[in-house]
Protein backbone atom coordinates (compact mmCIF):
# COMPACT_ATOMS: atom_id res chain seq x y z
CA UNK A 1 0.00 0.00 0.00
CA UNK A 2 2.87 2.39 0.83
CA UNK A 3 4.55 1.70 -2.52
CA UNK A 4 1.25 2.24 -4.32
CA UNK A 5 0.67 5.56 -2.55
CA UNK A 6 4.19 6.86 -3.27
CA UNK A 7 3.99 5.84 -6.92
CA UNK A 8 0.55 7.42 -7.26
CA UNK A 9 1.71 10.69 -5.71
CA UNK A 10 4.70 11.12 -8.03
CA UNK A 11 2.72 9.93 -11.05
CA UNK A 12 0.01 12.54 -10.48
CA UNK A 13 2.61 15.24 -9.77
CA UNK A 14 4.39 14.52 -13.07
CA UNK A 15 1.15 14.62 -15.06
CA UNK A 16 -0.02 17.87 -13.47
CA UNK A 17 3.41 19.39 -13.99
CA UNK A 18 3.43 18.41 -17.66
CA UNK A 19 0.04 20.03 -18.23
CA UNK A 20 1.01 23.25 -16.45
CA UNK A 21 4.49 23.62 -17.96
CA UNK A 22 3.14 24.57 -21.36
CA UNK A 23 2.10 23.06 -24.67
CA UNK A 24 5.47 21.61 -25.67
CA UNK A 25 5.95 19.67 -22.45
CA UNK A 26 2.28 18.65 -22.47
CA UNK A 27 2.21 17.12 -25.95
CA UNK A 28 5.70 15.63 -25.60
CA UNK A 29 4.97 13.72 -22.39
CA UNK A 30 1.55 12.46 -23.41
CA UNK A 31 2.85 11.39 -26.82
CA UNK A 32 5.50 9.30 -25.05
CA UNK A 33 2.84 7.88 -22.75
CA UNK A 34 0.65 7.00 -25.74
CA UNK A 35 3.50 5.29 -27.60
CA UNK A 36 4.37 3.27 -24.49
CA UNK A 37 0.71 2.29 -24.07
CA UNK A 38 0.76 0.92 -27.62
CA UNK A 39 3.88 -1.08 -26.71
CA UNK A 40 2.18 -2.39 -23.54
CA UNK A 41 -0.82 -3.47 -25.58
CA UNK A 42 1.33 -5.37 -28.08
CA UNK A 43 3.30 -7.04 -25.31
CA UNK A 44 0.10 -7.97 -23.48
CA UNK A 45 -1.55 -9.70 -26.47
CA UNK A 46 1.62 -11.34 -27.79
CA UNK A 47 1.45 -15.14 -27.85
CA UNK A 48 2.93 -17.93 -29.93
CA UNK A 49 0.04 -17.58 -32.39
CA UNK A 50 -0.46 -13.81 -32.13
CA UNK A 51 2.57 -11.72 -32.96
CA UNK A 52 1.74 -8.06 -33.61
CA UNK A 53 4.30 -5.92 -35.41
CA UNK A 54 5.59 -4.33 -32.24
CA UNK A 55 8.37 -2.02 -33.38
CA UNK A 56 6.67 -0.95 -36.59
CA UNK A 57 3.36 -0.42 -34.80
CA UNK A 58 4.96 1.71 -32.10
CA UNK A 59 6.85 3.61 -34.81
CA UNK A 60 3.65 4.33 -36.73
CA UNK A 61 1.99 5.46 -33.49
CA UNK A 62 4.93 7.76 -32.69
CA UNK A 63 4.91 9.24 -36.20
CA UNK A 64 1.18 9.89 -36.07
CA UNK A 65 1.43 11.47 -32.62
CA UNK A 66 4.33 13.69 -33.69
CA UNK A 67 2.29 14.92 -36.66
CA UNK A 68 -0.68 15.62 -34.36
CA UNK A 69 1.61 17.46 -31.95
CA UNK A 70 3.05 19.67 -34.68
CA UNK A 71 -0.41 20.49 -36.01
CA UNK A 72 -1.65 21.38 -32.52
CA UNK A 73 1.41 23.56 -31.92
CA UNK A 74 0.84 25.37 -35.21
CA UNK A 75 4.05 24.09 -36.79
CA UNK A 76 2.28 22.19 -39.56
CA UNK A 77 -1.11 22.31 -41.25
CA UNK A 78 -3.82 19.65 -40.99
CA UNK A 79 -2.93 18.60 -44.53
CA UNK A 80 -0.02 16.48 -43.18
CA UNK A 81 -2.24 14.23 -41.04
CA UNK A 82 -3.01 11.82 -43.93
CA UNK A 83 0.69 10.94 -43.87
CA UNK A 84 0.14 9.26 -40.53
CA UNK A 85 -2.79 7.29 -41.95
CA UNK A 86 -0.73 6.30 -44.98
CA UNK A 87 2.02 4.99 -42.70
CA UNK A 88 -0.48 2.41 -41.44
CA UNK A 89 -0.17 0.71 -44.84
CA UNK A 90 3.37 -0.26 -43.84
CA UNK A 91 1.84 -2.75 -41.42
CA UNK A 92 0.14 -4.59 -44.29
CA UNK A 93 3.29 -4.64 -46.38
CA UNK A 94 5.58 -5.69 -43.55
CA UNK A 95 3.34 -8.67 -42.78
CA UNK A 96 4.17 -10.07 -46.24
CA UNK A 97 7.78 -10.56 -45.18
CA UNK A 98 7.10 -12.23 -41.81
CA UNK A 99 6.81 -16.00 -41.54
CA UNK A 100 4.17 -16.10 -38.82
CA UNK A 101 1.28 -18.51 -38.32
CA UNK A 102 -1.55 -15.96 -38.63
CA UNK A 103 -0.33 -12.85 -40.50
CA UNK A 104 -3.81 -11.30 -40.89
CA UNK A 105 -4.45 -11.76 -37.18
CA UNK A 106 -1.09 -10.10 -36.46
CA UNK A 107 -2.02 -7.10 -38.61
CA UNK A 108 -5.46 -6.90 -36.98
CA UNK A 109 -3.97 -6.75 -33.48
CA UNK A 110 -1.38 -4.22 -34.66
CA UNK A 111 -4.11 -1.95 -36.02
CA UNK A 112 -6.29 -2.40 -32.96
CA UNK A 113 -3.38 -1.34 -30.76
CA UNK A 114 -3.21 1.97 -32.63
CA UNK A 115 -6.98 2.51 -32.44
CA UNK A 116 -7.26 1.51 -28.80
CA UNK A 117 -4.12 2.97 -27.24
CA UNK A 118 -2.86 5.81 -29.49
CA UNK A 119 -5.74 7.65 -31.13
CA UNK A 120 -7.54 8.49 -27.83
CA UNK A 121 -4.43 10.32 -26.62
CA UNK A 122 -4.58 12.45 -29.75
CA UNK A 123 -8.07 13.52 -28.69
CA UNK A 124 -6.90 14.13 -25.12
CA UNK A 125 -4.03 16.35 -26.25
CA UNK A 126 -6.47 18.21 -28.51
CA UNK A 127 -8.47 19.16 -25.41
CA UNK A 128 -5.67 21.59 -24.58
CA UNK A 129 -6.21 23.35 -27.91
CA UNK A 130 -9.98 23.06 -28.23
CA UNK A 131 -10.26 26.88 -28.53
CA UNK A 132 -7.37 27.15 -30.96
CA UNK A 133 -4.75 28.21 -28.39
CA UNK A 134 -3.31 26.18 -25.55
CA UNK A 135 -5.23 26.28 -22.29
CA UNK A 136 -4.00 23.94 -19.56
CA UNK A 137 -7.19 24.05 -17.51
CA UNK A 138 -9.31 21.86 -19.79
CA UNK A 139 -6.96 18.81 -19.90
CA UNK A 140 -6.10 19.39 -16.24
CA UNK A 141 -9.80 19.51 -15.39
CA UNK A 142 -10.33 16.33 -17.38
CA UNK A 143 -7.67 14.51 -15.35
CA UNK A 144 -9.08 15.81 -12.06
CA UNK A 145 -12.58 14.63 -13.02
CA UNK A 146 -11.20 11.24 -14.07
CA UNK A 147 -9.34 10.79 -10.78
CA UNK A 148 -12.29 12.05 -8.76
CA UNK A 149 -14.61 9.58 -10.44
CA UNK A 150 -12.20 6.72 -9.70
CA UNK A 151 -11.89 7.80 -6.07
CA UNK A 152 -15.64 8.22 -5.60
CA UNK A 153 -16.36 4.86 -7.21
CA UNK A 154 -13.81 3.15 -4.96
CA UNK A 155 -15.10 4.75 -1.75
CA UNK A 156 -18.78 4.17 -2.53
CA UNK A 157 -18.20 0.64 -3.76
CA UNK A 158 -16.14 -0.27 -0.73
CA UNK A 159 -18.59 1.17 1.80
CA UNK A 160 -22.05 0.43 0.35
CA UNK A 161 -21.43 -1.62 -2.79
CA UNK A 162 -23.82 -4.56 -3.12
CA UNK A 163 -25.13 -4.94 -6.68
CA UNK A 164 -22.56 -6.09 -9.24
CA UNK A 165 -22.13 -3.89 -12.30
CA UNK A 166 -20.40 -6.35 -14.67
CA UNK A 167 -19.53 -9.35 -12.55
CA UNK A 168 -18.47 -11.41 -15.58
CA UNK A 169 -15.83 -8.80 -16.44
CA UNK A 170 -14.95 -7.09 -13.15
CA UNK A 171 -16.31 -8.75 -9.98
CA UNK A 172 -15.37 -5.81 -7.72
CA UNK A 173 -17.33 -3.10 -9.54
CA UNK A 174 -20.81 -2.29 -8.27
CA UNK A 175 -23.70 -0.06 -9.29
CA UNK A 176 -23.33 1.81 -6.01
CA UNK A 177 -19.69 2.48 -6.86
CA UNK A 178 -20.63 3.65 -10.34
CA UNK A 179 -23.21 6.14 -9.05
CA UNK A 180 -20.88 7.23 -6.26
CA UNK A 181 -18.20 8.02 -8.82
CA UNK A 182 -20.69 9.94 -10.96
CA UNK A 183 -21.80 12.05 -7.98
CA UNK A 184 -18.19 12.80 -7.01
CA UNK A 185 -17.33 13.73 -10.63
CA UNK A 186 -20.36 16.01 -10.94
CA UNK A 187 -19.48 17.74 -7.65
CA UNK A 188 -15.88 18.12 -8.82
CA UNK A 189 -17.17 19.70 -12.03
CA UNK A 190 -19.22 22.13 -9.95
CA UNK A 191 -16.10 23.14 -7.99
CA UNK A 192 -13.90 23.38 -11.09
CA UNK A 193 -16.33 25.85 -12.67
CA UNK A 194 -15.37 28.35 -9.96
CA UNK A 195 -11.61 27.85 -10.17
CA UNK A 196 -11.26 27.12 -13.90
CA UNK A 197 -13.49 29.78 -15.45
CA UNK A 198 -12.77 28.77 -19.04
CA UNK A 199 -16.07 26.81 -19.25
CA UNK A 200 -19.51 27.41 -17.73
CA UNK A 201 -20.73 25.33 -14.80
CA UNK A 202 -23.04 23.09 -16.84
CA UNK A 203 -20.15 22.17 -19.16
CA UNK A 204 -17.96 21.02 -16.31
CA UNK A 205 -20.79 19.00 -14.78
CA UNK A 206 -21.56 17.39 -18.15
CA UNK A 207 -17.87 16.60 -18.59
CA UNK A 208 -17.89 14.96 -15.17
CA UNK A 209 -20.87 12.79 -16.09
CA UNK A 210 -19.42 11.83 -19.48
CA UNK A 211 -16.18 10.83 -17.78
CA UNK A 212 -18.06 8.91 -15.07
CA UNK A 213 -20.03 6.89 -17.62
CA UNK A 214 -17.47 6.30 -20.33
CA UNK A 215 -14.45 6.25 -18.06
CA UNK A 216 -16.09 3.35 -16.22
CA UNK A 217 -16.80 1.62 -19.53
CA UNK A 218 -13.17 2.16 -20.53
CA UNK A 219 -12.08 0.48 -17.31
CA UNK A 220 -14.38 -2.45 -18.07
CA UNK A 221 -13.11 -2.74 -21.64
CA UNK A 222 -9.54 -3.04 -20.42
CA UNK A 223 -10.61 -5.60 -17.81
CA UNK A 224 -12.29 -7.58 -20.61
CA UNK A 225 -9.10 -7.37 -22.67
CA UNK A 226 -6.93 -8.56 -19.79
CA UNK A 227 -9.29 -11.45 -19.06
CA UNK A 228 -9.25 -12.38 -22.74
CA UNK A 229 -5.45 -12.67 -22.81
CA UNK A 230 -5.12 -13.99 -19.24
CA UNK A 231 -3.08 -11.27 -17.53
CA UNK A 232 -3.61 -9.38 -14.28
CA UNK A 233 -1.97 -6.08 -15.31
CA UNK A 234 -1.08 -4.53 -18.64
CA UNK A 235 2.49 -3.97 -17.45
CA UNK A 236 4.70 -3.34 -14.42
CA UNK A 237 6.09 0.12 -15.10
CA UNK A 238 4.33 1.67 -12.08
CA UNK A 239 5.00 -0.26 -8.85
CA UNK A 240 1.71 -1.06 -7.14
CA UNK A 241 -0.36 0.18 -10.09
CA UNK A 242 0.60 -2.04 -13.02
CA UNK A 243 1.20 -0.48 -16.41
CA UNK A 244 0.30 2.83 -18.02
CA UNK A 245 -2.70 1.24 -19.75
CA UNK A 246 -4.04 0.32 -16.32
CA UNK A 247 -3.87 3.99 -15.28
CA UNK A 248 -5.34 5.46 -18.47
CA UNK A 249 -8.02 2.89 -19.32
CA UNK A 250 -10.83 5.35 -18.55
CA UNK A 251 -9.22 8.10 -20.63
CA UNK A 252 -9.11 5.87 -23.71
CA UNK A 253 -12.90 5.89 -24.05
CA UNK A 254 -13.82 9.15 -22.33
CA UNK A 255 -11.34 11.57 -23.97
CA UNK A 256 -12.66 11.33 -27.56
CA UNK A 257 -16.25 11.82 -26.36
CA UNK A 258 -15.37 14.79 -24.13
CA UNK A 259 -13.51 16.40 -27.05
CA UNK A 260 -16.47 15.91 -29.40
CA UNK A 261 -18.82 17.29 -26.72
CA UNK A 262 -16.73 20.45 -26.27
CA UNK A 263 -16.26 20.98 -30.02
CA UNK A 264 -20.03 20.76 -30.50
CA UNK A 265 -20.74 23.54 -28.01
CA UNK A 266 -17.74 25.88 -28.30
Amino acid sequence: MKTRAITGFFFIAVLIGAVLLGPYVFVSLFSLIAAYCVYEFYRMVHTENTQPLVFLGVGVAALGLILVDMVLLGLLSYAVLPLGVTAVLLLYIAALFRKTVHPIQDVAYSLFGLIYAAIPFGFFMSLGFVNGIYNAYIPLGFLILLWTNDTGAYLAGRSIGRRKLFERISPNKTWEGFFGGAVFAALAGFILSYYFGILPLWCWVCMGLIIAIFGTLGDLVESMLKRNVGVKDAGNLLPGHGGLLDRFDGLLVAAPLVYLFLKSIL
Side-chain angles (χ1 to χ4, degrees), residues 177-197:
F178 167 73
F179 286 114
V183 170
F184 269 59
L187 289 174
F190 180 83
I191 294 170
L192 288 175
S193 69
Y194 286 95
Y195 290 96
F196 298 172

Side-chain angles (χ1 to χ4, degrees), residues 8-22:
F9 172 80
F10 283 105
F11 181 67
I12 290 173
V14 168
L15 295 184
I16 292 175
V19 175
L20 295 177
L21 285 173

Side-chain angles (χ1 to χ4, degrees), residues 29-47:
L29 178 65
F30 280 95
S31 293
L32 287 173
I33 289 173
Y36 192 83
C37 283
V38 173
Y39 169 72
E40 280 190 342
F41 174 85
Y42 290 154
R43 189 175 62 177
M44 181 169 55
V45 302
H46 186 278
T47 66

Side-chain angles (χ1 to χ4, degrees), residues 15 28 35 39 49 63 68 82 88 116 123-124 147 156 163 188 194 210 225 228 246:
L15 295 184
S28 297
Y39 169 72
N49 294 322
L63 173 62
V68 170
V88 172
Y116 177 66
F123 281 100
F124 173 72
W147 297 330
R163 300 171 182 82
Y194 286 95
I210 292 171
L225 174 62
N228 185 74
D246 298 311

